[in-house]
Amino acid sequence: MFAIGEASRQSGVGIETIRYYEREGIVPKPERASNNRRMYSTHDIGRLCFLKKCRDLGFPLADAKTLLGLSEGDSEDCQSVKDLAEHHVLNVREKIRKLRRLEAALTELTANCDSGNVSCPMLSQLRAV
Amino acid sequence: MFAIGEASRQSGVGIETIRYYEREGIVPKPERASNNRRMYSTHDIGRLCFLKKCRDLGFPLADAKTLLGLSEGDSEDCQSVKDLAEHHVLNVREKIRKLRRLEAALTELTANCDSGNVSCPMLSQLRAV
DNA sequence: ATAACTCCTGTAGCAGACTACAGGATCAAG
DNA sequence: CTTGATCCTGTAGTCTGCTACAGGAGTTAT
């Protein structure tokens, strides 16, 4: 069993954040030592690692919580997990698509700037209703 | 010229948000009618559309403001305009790179997910050290 | 034993970007 | 003329996801 500082180091989740996750019910309340300090099992730390990875992947905390719940359900509901992930990946793809359009617009702007042209047709497009 | 509600409908930016943008100096103060109501030109509405698109692309509001400035060529120094625009292009490309890595990671995670699985490979992966 | 560290609870603050009133005034339609 | 929609200013609250104290207590190293 590990103290919160060690759990933090092992999982990469900050101490304050761990306590915040506990307050928010994202992770269950850990055991307490006789001196009232939180004690984390390797399983508890595994949960924190799981959450860290989900967050790093850009999942909102609520989704991370759901995924964690799914990962610990009696029957791992693979379809729900997949749905959540695929919904997330669709969002990511949409963002990429839009960013590429903006990249083109910005590239066009710099090109026009080179040639001394002030008005940019693609930015006009961005302004359009 | 259009009232704020119409500007909101045309641009997709909420009324309160438009006023917020004005307070924050993101957009210039619009003309006022004799009854003190804000009146927006199509150009003003174009600005709101531009901001909306930037925000939809995930740009922070401050960046959106800068981009809006660029799109209107409000700098007297063409070189610094170009530098700013190119800097933004680099930011956009970096964002795209990160999102594509994320997309790849998510796709790989879901690749082996099928509703028949007893244990979910994606969850196993997320649990792994 | 003293200092330095870690932990506790509880509360508050922050950043970004809105969003929601309250309490009026004004406008458009019937 | 009344009703209801829209607008005004100003202030305050919301949401996400932390992050930072304050003030106290137990732990560890020298």
Side-chain angles (χ1 to χ4, degrees), chain A residues 11-26:
Chain A
S11 65
V13 180
I15 290 175
E16 303 278 11
T17 306
I18 293 173
R19 290 198 276 244
Y20 165 75
Y21 285 173
E22 182 185 330
R23 277 200 303 282
E24 295 298 305
I26 309 294

Side-chain angles (χ1 to χ4, degrees), chain A residues 27-92:
Chain A
V27 294
K29 290 177 190 293
E31 282 182 50
R32 294 293 180 123
S34 53
N35 57 13
N36 196 37
R37 296 190 169 190
R38 292 169 178 83
M39 295 304 286
Y40 295 88
S41 67
T42 50
H43 186 217
D44 291 329
I45 292 175
R47 263 193 214 102
L48 294 171
C49 291
F50 184 97
L51 290 172
K52 180 81 168 62
K53 283 179 189 178
C54 288
R55 297 288 298 121
D56 286 348
L57 285 169
F59 283 100
L61 195 51
D63 283 8
K65 181 187 180 183
T66 303
L67 285 170
L68 182 61
L70 287 171
S71 85
E72 297 188 339
D74 10 310
S75 65
E76 291 191 347
D77 188 351
C78 203
Q79 193 56 48
S80 301
V81 172
K82 202 184 175 194
D83 288 349
L84 210 60
E86 281 180 345
H87 182 249
H88 185 51
V89 90
L90 284 183
N91 283 342
V92 169

Side-chain angles (χ1 to χ4, degrees), chain A residues 50 53 57 71 76 78-79 82 85 88 92-93 98-99 102-103 106 110 113-114 123 126-129, chain B residues 10 46 49 53 57 59 71 78 82 85 89 93 99 102-103 106-107 110 113 115 120 123 126-128:
Chain A
F50 184 97
K53 283 179 189 178
L57 285 169
S71 85
E76 291 191 347
C78 203
Q79 193 56 48
K82 202 184 175 194
H88 185 51
V92 169
R93 284 188 186 131
K98 287 178 173 176
L99 280 171
L102 193 84
E103 183 197 1
L106 286 169
T110 53
C113 198
D114 273 338
L123 282 167
L126 269 176
R127 270 193 299 271
V129 178
Chain B
Q10 283 189 36
C49 291
K53 285 176 189 184
L57 287 167
F59 280 98
S71 85
C78 194
K82 190 180 173 239
V89 168
R93 289 192 182 133
L99 284 171
L102 180 56
E103 183 198 1
L106 287 170
T107 302
T110 52
C113 257
S115 44
C120 180
L123 293 176
L126 281 171
R127 268 194 301 264

Side-chain angles (χ1 to χ4, degrees), chain A residues 100-110 120 122-123 126:
Chain A
R100 281 213 265 260
R101 278 212 299 270
L102 193 84
E103 183 197 1
L106 286 169
T107 303
E108 183 74 13
L109 175 69
T110 53
C120 171
M122 295 203 66
L123 282 167
L126 269 176

